[in-house]
Amino acid sequence: MSGGSRAPAAPTAGAPSAAPRSDYDGDPTRLVRHPASLQGGPDHPLYAVWEITLRCDLGCVHCGSRAGKARPDELTTAECFDMVHQLAALGVREVTLIGGEAYLRDDWAEIATEVTRSGMTCGMTTGARNLTPERLEQAVKAGIRVISVSLDGLEATHDAQRGVRGSWRAAVDASRRIAASPIRLATNTQINRVSLPELPALAQLLAEIGSKAWQIQLSVAMGRAADRPNLLLQPYDLLDLFPLLVWIKETTLDPAGVQLFPGNNIGYFSPYEQRLRYGGDRGGHWAGCSAGRYTLGLEADGKIKGCPSLPTTEYTGGNIRDMRLADVVAHSRELRVIRERTVDDLWGFCRGCYYAETCKGGCTWTSHCLLGRPGNNPYCIHRALELEQQGLRERVVKVEAAPGLPFDNGRFEIVVEPMPETGDTPSLVGVPLADVLALKSSSAGAWTGPERADRLTVA
C-alpha cells in the first residue's frame, strides 16, 4: 500500500469484517489440523497440467513460459495418446490442457477426447482470444468438463497485460458462451500491482458472466514477469490483499455462488486461512508444496515436472520419449526432492517459523524463481504479520536479470526495513480506496495509461 497507508478490513459499512491481525483465537495450533478427508491420503499424483503446445495468440507480460512460438519438437498425436494412457495407468484423475494456447494445436480436440475416453476428467485453461463458437462445440463433443478463462483485470488492464487490444472483450464473450454451454465456466486471475485494485470490480464481473469458480495466484518472477519488477507485488502488499480477498469473498463471491480457489502461492497460516482456503471451514489448510506429490506438469516436448510452473532446467525429472511416466514419478530426484523436503532444507525466516514442519517453505515455484532456490518464501501473510508486529516489512529488489528463455528466472534479494507510518488516505498499491470501490465491472481500469505503462515496463 503506497506510503504504508492501510485499507480498512471491511471497505464498506456493514460488510463482514476481515479476520483480526493476530493468531487465530490466540491459539495458532488450531490452524494445524489434518483431517484425512481433506488431505488426500498418501502422496500420489492425481492432477496433471499439460502444456500441449507453446504456440500462443497472446503476448502476456507475465508469461512464465514466454509462450508464442511452438516448441521445435512437440509430441506427435500418437505420442500424446501414449502420454494419456500412461497418465491413466498412473491413477491420475484429472488433466488440464494448457499452452501457450491449447486450441492452436490442430489435434487438441482429439487429445481431449482421448483423455475423456481413458476415464479422466478433462479441462482446459485458456486466454480465449480465439475460442470461437466452433472450437467451443469441439470442446463439448470432446467431453471437456470445465474451461477456465484468464481475466487479469478490467478491460484496459487486461489488454495491456495480455499484449493484444480486444483480448478482454474476446475473453468475456467466450466466457458467456461457455457459461451457456454444458461446460462449467471457471476463471483465473494473476494478482500483481496492476490488477490488485481492480479485484473487487472483477469479482462483480465474474458473478455477472456466470463463473462458478475463481482461481487466483500471485504473479511470480518467472519469464516475462521477471523482466518487470514493478509489476510484482511486494511482500508487504499481502497485508492489504488478504483482508480485501476476505471482503470480496463474503460480499460478492459467496452470494453469487462463485467458489474461490487461492493458488498455492497465496498463503500461509494466518487468521485468513480458514476463511479463504477451499475447505478451510472444515479444517483444511496449507500442507506443503504439492509438486510431484499430488500434481504433475508436462511440457509439449515430453518433459515431466512435478508442477507446470517450475523452472524447466532444475525440475525436469525425465522425458516421456525416454522413460515411462511412472518411473519418472517414482524415481527421479527432481520430482522426489519436494515430497521428501524436511525442515533441514529450509533457510532464512522459514527455517525458524512455527509452521515450518507443515508448510516447508510454501510454494517452491515462488521462492525458487525469486531467490534462486526454494525453502524461504517472503510471500507469506503469516510472515508479513509477524514482521509487522515488530515494526518491520520485507521488500524484494531485482539484482540479476533472467536470460530470456521459457520458464527462466533472474534473482532478487530481500531487504528488511522499518514499516513506514500509515497515511491519512487509505489506498491499494497507490490507488485511493474510494476509487477502488467506485470501479464497476464495465470500467476500463484503475490506472491512467502512463501509470499502467510504468508498471509494465521492462527494467
Side-chain angles (χ1 to χ4, degrees), residues 4 118 126 161 185 233 240 246 257 272 283 285 322 328 361 403-404 410 424 436:
S118 297
T126 175
Q161 289 195 85
L185 171 65
L233 292 183
D240 302 309
V246 169
Y272 306 104
H285 59 82
D322 306 317
V328 175
D424 295 330
V436 170

Side-chain angles (χ1 to χ4, degrees), residues 246-302:
V246 169
W247 180 75
I248 290 172
K249 181 177 184 294
E250 295 182 353
T251 61
T252 303
L253 301 179
D254 287 350
V258 182
Q259 292 181 307
L260 182 67
F261 291 90
N264 287 342
N265 67 0
I266 296 187
Y268 309 88
F269 297 105
S270 74
Y272 306 104
E273 185 90 346
Q274 184 182 38
R275 303 176 75 170
L276 289 177
R277 192 166 297 283
Y278 182 75
D281 57 340
R282 294 175 285 135
H285 59 82
W286 173 255
C289 182
S290 63
R293 299 172 61 203
Y294 306 122
T295 64
L296 291 174
L298 312 171
E299 294 187 2
D301 56 3

Side-chain angles (χ1 to χ4, degrees), residues 55-76:
R55 184 183 173 196
C56 194
D57 52 14
L58 294 170
C60 304
V61 300
H62 48 53
C63 181
S65 64
R66 301 183 185 268
K69 296 181 179 179
R71 293 183 186 274
D73 191 19
E74 296 186 345
L75 298 178
T76 66

Side-chain angles (χ1 to χ4, degrees), residues 14 17 41-42 44 167 186 205 215 227 232 324 338 349 356 388 407:
S17 61
H44 178 267
S167 59
L205 174 66
Q215 179 174 322
D227 304 334
L232 305 173
R324 301 293 296 174
I338 296 173
F349 183 99
E388 183 189 39
F407 295 102

Side-chain angles (χ1 to χ4, degrees), residues 334-415:
E334 291 82 1
L335 271 71
R336 286 176 24 242
V337 66
I338 296 173
R339 61 179 180 256
E340 295 176 0
R341 181 177 295 160
T342 70
V343 173
D344 291 338
D345 298 313
L346 308 184
W347 56 287
F349 183 99
C350 290
R351 177 64 178 265
C353 179
Y354 177 87
Y355 299 108
E357 183 64 40
T358 300
C359 182
K360 295 186 176 65
C363 174
T364 302
W365 169 45
T366 303
S367 54
H368 186 111
C369 291
L370 192 72
L371 304 173
R373 60 178 173 135
N376 185 26
N377 185 359
Y379 286 96
C380 165
I381 183 59
H382 168 71
R383 178 167 171 165
L385 289 167
E386 289 286 299
L387 290 169
E388 183 189 39
Q389 290 181 0
Q390 303 171 43
L392 301 172
R393 72 179 191 180
E394 290 180 316
R395 181 165 52 88
V396 296
V397 180
K398 182 178 176 180
V399 295
E400 183 179 325
L405 302 172
F407 295 102
D408 64 350
N409 61 276
R411 188 169 58 85
F412 289 68
E413 289 183 349
I414 300 172
V415 176

Side-chain angles (χ1 to χ4, degrees), residues 63-334:
C63 181
S65 64
R66 301 183 185 268
K69 296 181 179 179
R71 293 183 186 274
D73 191 19
E74 296 186 345
L75 298 178
T76 66
T77 303
E79 288 174 321
C80 285
F81 281 15
D82 181 52
M83 177 79 86
V84 170
H85 302 154
Q86 291 194 46
L87 287 166
L90 188 65
V92 169
R93 298 177 186 173
E94 183 174 356
V95 178
T96 295
L97 305 181
I98 65 169
E101 187 59 78
Y103 58 63
L104 293 180
R105 183 175 166 128
D106 291 341
D107 58 358
W108 71 273
E110 296 174 56
I111 296 170
T113 299
E114 194 66 17
V115 170
T116 301
R117 184 183 294 124
S118 297
M120 296 176 288
T121 298
C122 188
M124 183 166 71
T125 296
T126 175
R129 180 188 173 195
N130 290 292
L131 185 59
T132 61
E134 293 75 20
R135 283 179 168 141
L136 179 57
E137 182 60 28
Q138 284 182 285
V140 171
K141 291 180 178 178
I144 288 180
R145 296 278 296 278
V146 59
I147 295 179
S148 182
V149 176
S150 301
L151 287 167
D152 287 330
L154 301 177
E155 185 167 7
T157 293
H158 175 95
D159 283 1
Q161 289 195 85
R162 293 279 161 178
V164 177
R165 182 170 294 182
S167 59
W168 181 88
R169 173 53 56 194
V172 170
D173 289 347
S175 295
R176 296 186 190 278
R177 289 195 295 270
I178 296 165
S181 79
I183 296 176
R184 183 173 184 258
L185 171 65
T187 40
N188 62 85
T189 298
Q190 294 242 3
I191 301 177
N192 50 50
R193 288 190 141 236
V194 178
S195 64
L196 173 56
E198 300 181 7
L199 295 180
L202 182 57
Q204 296 172 16
L205 174 66
L206 303 187
E208 292 168 7
I209 64 178
S211 178
K212 300 302 182 184
W214 188 21
Q215 179 174 322
I216 51 176
Q217 68 180 37
L218 307 183
S219 293
V220 168
M222 169 182 267
R224 295 187 191 123
D227 304 334
R228 297 168 169 82
N230 292 336
L231 176 65
L232 305 173
L233 292 183
Q234 287 292 341
Y236 55 81
D237 290 326
L238 302 187
L239 295 169
D240 302 309
L241 172 63
F242 275 76
L244 180 70
L245 290 177
V246 169
W247 180 75
I248 290 172
K249 181 177 184 294
E250 295 182 353
T251 61
T252 303
L253 301 179
D254 287 350
V258 182
Q259 292 181 307
L260 182 67
F261 291 90
N264 287 342
N265 67 0
I266 296 187
Y268 309 88
F269 297 105
S270 74
Y272 306 104
E273 185 90 346
Q274 184 182 38
R275 303 176 75 170
L276 289 177
R277 192 166 297 283
Y278 182 75
D281 57 340
R282 294 175 285 135
H285 59 82
W286 173 255
C289 182
S290 63
R293 299 172 61 203
Y294 306 122
T295 64
L296 291 174
L298 312 171
E299 294 187 2
D301 56 3
K303 295 188 187 76
I304 302 162
K305 302 184 294 188
C307 167
S309 301
L310 288 172
T312 299
T313 301
E314 293 86 353
Y315 292 97
T316 295
N319 193 299
I320 196 71
R321 286 173 167 148
D322 306 317
M323 301 174 64
R324 301 293 296 174
L325 178 64
D327 291 336
V328 175
V329 171
H331 304 301
S332 70
R333 181 192 64 82
E334 291 82 1

